[in-house]
Each structure stands twice: as C-alpha cells, then as structure tokens.
Amino acid sequence: MELSWVRAAGRGTAGLAAGAVTALAESIYVVAGTLALALPPARPGVYAGARALAELERRRLVRFFDAENGDDYTGGRALRYLGLRCVTGLLGAGVLLLIVYGAVSAIIMLGQIFSGGQVGGGSEPADWYDSITIFLFGLLLAFIAVQGLISVAKLDQVLANRFFGPSAQELLRRRVSELSITRAEVVEAVNDERRRIERDLHDGVQQRLVALGMLLGRARRAGDAERAAELVRQAHEESQQALRDLREVTWRVYPVALDDGGLHPALEAVAESAGVPVHLDFGLGERPSLAVETVAYFVVSEAVTNAMKHASATRVDVSVHRTGTMLSVRIIDDGRGGARPAGGLSGLARRVAAADGEFTVDSPVGGPTTITAELPCG
C-alpha cells in the first residue's frame, strides 16, 4: 500500500512536470493561433493543431493520472482548453520550481547546521533553536508545496473534464435519441409480454378447461356410478390444476405481493415456489419506487425460471442491495451457462433499459451464469 502510494505520487509529479513543459509550447501556440484566427483561411489549420495538442494532453492525463475523457470536441473548444491549460501548466511549473529551490536551500542549511556554521552564512556559530526553526519552517513549506501539486493536478483534470466531451446541446440530442429508442423498446417489450400471456392462456389454461369439460361430459354420460365418480375426481384435479395455471399466469402479469408488502415478500414467494433451492440476500432498508420494484421483481423471477428450465441449475443465489442511488440485483446460478443476452433475456434487458438501468449477463459455457441489473432509485 505504501509503495503504491509512493509510486502514484511520483507518477503524478512526473505528469505535472510533463504538463509544465507542454504548457510552455502550448502558450506560444495559443498566442500565435489566436492571432492567426483573424485570417479565415488559416482557421482550419489552427483548429487542427489545437486538437493535436489537446490529444497530447489527453494522453498525458491517461498516462500519469488515469483520467480518461471523451474525444467529442471541436477545434474551437480545444483552443479554448489550451488557453486555460497553459495557466495551470505554468502554475504547476512554478510550484515545482519552488519545491526544487526549497529542497536545495534545505540541504545547504542542514549542511551549515551540522558543520556548526551560521545558517545563511556568516562566522557566528548556529544557535540551539536554529535547527528546530528550520525543521518546522521546512515542514510547513513542504505541506504547502504538496497541497499546491495536488491542487494543480485536480485543476488540470477539471479543465479536461470541462472541455473534452460533448456539449450540453449534444448531450440533450443524445438523450432525446436514447429516450426514443427506449420508448420503442418498451412498446416491443409490452407486445412480447402480451403475446406470452396469450400463449400461456391458450396452451395452458384453455387446454385444461377443455379437458375439464370433456371429463365432466364423459362423467354425465357414464352409466356406471363408480366410473362416473372416477371421472368427476379427475375433473376435480383438472380444475385445481387449471386454477394453479391461471394463478401462475396472473402472477407473471403482476404479482399482488408487490402492492401488499413490497419487493421482499414478492421475491420470497418466488424463492418458495421455485423448483430448486433459492438463497435470497435482501439488503434494502427502504422501499424503492413501485416501478423499480416491478422491474427488479421480473428480473429475478425470469432469471430463476430460466435457470430451472434451461440451465439445469441446482442452486440459485439472489442478492438485492442498494449502493448510493442504484439498486443492484444479482442472480447467480450453477447451471450449464451459455445464456445469450440477445436471446430469451432480451425482454429483461428492454425492461431494465426502459428504467434507465444497465443489464449485463456473464454466462460462459459450462456455467455459472451471473445476471446483474443496476437500476436508478433516486
């Protein structure tokens, strides 16, 4: 830990030194380029040169500070950035020069103290308090110098964050485009859900009701009382199964437990009804909005169902926690893996995207499968 801190400090100081050198060249370019802008034919070249220097600064920030920024900026913004960057770069150069000056002075004064001479020259011997005074004064200057380096480094990164990347208008345009795509995906997800419900009703509940009617008809026509009783018994079992299928379809449309108790009891019901052991780790203190709870519920419900039906899982771990303003839902199963986000999980991805969340699937062949949904919750 200490070595990594020392390496980071050394790398940051080297980055500031490099920035001080580039600031000298950039200040000359900014002055000359600004004057050249008065000539319209020279403007494209000035802006291209400004972008080249700005890219050099971006690479320096990545190399020494691990600070990555976008590359969506114009030549005009690059020139304005360089104008302010020169100030911070030269400020960093001033701080570094003061540190070097202070270090050399400290070495000379320490040498004078240990040799018994007068600090600052002269023939009088050093007083007893000279070493203490120099130590405290040097400590104060070292603290100020370190704070100066840190401040210059922060200011350097703030400037880069301000100028590199899209403008406010571009961000707004991208947001509108993103919302248009999300709206289309929500419509598609609703259509998928409607088709699934129709399929479940047609292939499940409707078929069982048809079988129930046939059993009752056969029971009514049966001449043997014992045979009729057997058919009525089968009809009763079929009606119970039809009710269970209908209840399952209803729960998959919208679980009532979400309204009654919230996400926790709804997920407990999913865990209890699952055909494999489901370990639920629920760490929410306060209820998020109903819309977020609904998305989180369907992510867990569908993931558990897929783990049972398609992955042959024998265990599923579900964790629901909140980190800052994000609700994190993670489902891990020990199945055979191979799940594809663009396959049966695309509906969940659209649900999460509609809530401005992020949906990821890590499912190597052979397993395990990890499904994660990050949902903003205020």
Side-chain angles (χ1 to χ4, degrees):
M1 179 65 75
E2 293 181 356
L3 289 177
S4 63
W5 182 87
V6 172
R7 281 196 294 268
R11 193 172 63 164
T13 304
L16 289 176
V21 174
T22 57
L24 292 174
E26 290 163 359
S27 60
I28 298 173
Y29 183 86
V30 168
V31 173
T34 303
L35 294 175
L37 288 179
L39 303 174
R43 291 175 183 173
V46 172
Y47 290 142
R51 281 189 63 91
L53 290 174
E55 287 299 311
L56 179 65
E57 291 299 331
R58 290 182 65 234
R59 287 195 290 272
R60 181 180 65 84
L61 293 172
V62 173
R63 170 68 178 83
F64 294 104
F65 300 103
D66 296 328
E68 296 188 10
N69 298 280
D71 56 358
D72 188 7
Y73 60 91
T74 63
R77 296 185 75 186
L79 189 61
R80 291 193 294 274
Y81 162 74
L82 292 177
L84 294 176
R85 225 307 286 171
C86 291
V87 178
T88 59
L90 294 176
L91 181 61
V95 174
L96 289 172
L97 288 175
L98 287 176
I99 291 175
V100 172
Y101 177 78
V104 172
S105 299
I107 293 173
I108 294 175
M109 284 188 273
L110 287 174
Q112 292 171 337
I113 290 174
F114 286 121
S115 63
Q118 176 66 32
V119 175
S123 58
E124 296 295 328
D127 295 323
W128 63 272
Y129 52 80
D130 284 347
S131 56
I132 299 175
T133 304
I134 292 174
F135 174 77
L136 294 176
F137 190 66
L139 194 62
L140 177 62
L141 291 180
F143 176 78
I144 294 174
V146 171
Q147 290 300 316
L149 290 178
I150 294 175
S151 299
V152 171
K154 290 288 185 183
L155 186 58
D156 221 4
Q157 296 175 43
V158 168
L159 281 178
N161 293 334
R162 170 66 179 80
F163 284 91
F164 296 141
S167 62
Q169 290 80 4
E170 177 62 19
L171 288 174
L172 180 60
R173 189 190 64 78
R174 292 182 183 182
R175 182 59 177 160
V176 171
S177 176
E178 181 183 333
L179 290 176
S180 299
I181 296 173
T182 302
R183 184 184 62 178
E185 290 180 342
V186 169
V187 172
E188 183 62 26
V190 171
N191 287 334
D192 287 346
E193 192 69 15
R194 178 180 55 79
R195 287 192 290 268
R196 185 186 62 78
I197 294 171
E198 291 175 350
R199 186 170 56 252
D200 289 345
L201 291 175
H202 180 270
D203 298 340
V205 179
Q206 180 175 309
Q207 296 303 317
R208 292 201 178 277
L209 291 177
V210 170
L212 174 62
M214 293 176 63
L215 286 171
L216 291 176
R218 290 169 58 190
R220 190 178 62 180
R221 293 190 300 271
D224 185 357
E226 184 176 351
R227 175 60 178 164
E230 174 62 21
L231 290 171
V232 169
R233 187 191 63 77
Q234 292 180 17
H236 180 262
E237 292 179 353
E238 198 68 27
S239 67
Q240 295 301 310
Q241 186 60 45
L243 282 175
R244 285 193 289 270
D245 289 350
L246 185 59
R247 188 178 298 115
E248 183 178 348
V249 171
T250 304
W251 264 76
R252 295 185 67 179
V253 174
Y254 184 82
V256 180
L258 277 178
D259 283 335
D260 296 340
L263 185 59
H264 194 193
L267 294 183
E268 285 182 333
V270 172
E272 291 173 359
S273 62
V276 297
V278 176
H279 176 258
L280 176 61
D281 179 15
F282 193 87
L284 295 185
E286 298 179 358
R287 286 188 63 177
S289 66
L290 185 58
V292 173
E293 283 187 328
T294 303
V295 175
Y297 169 81
F298 280 109
V299 168
V300 175
S301 177
E302 291 295 324
V304 171
T305 301
N306 288 339
M308 290 188 301
K309 289 185 177 180
H310 307 300
S312 301
T314 61
R315 176 185 171 89
V316 180
D317 293 315
V318 178
S319 66
V320 181
H321 291 276
R322 178 169 180 165
T323 304
T325 59
M326 300 298 289
L327 176 68
S328 176
V329 179
R330 178 167 298 175
I331 306 98
I332 304 174
D333 70 65
D334 62 350
R336 57 181 175 231
R340 293 180 296 107
L345 298 173
S346 60
L348 290 182
R350 285 196 291 264
R351 279 181 181 272
V352 175
D356 281 341
E358 294 185 4
F359 182 79
T360 57
V361 177
D362 181 17
S363 182
V365 176
T369 295
T370 301
I371 296 175
T372 305
E374 300 283 345
L375 299 165
C377 57

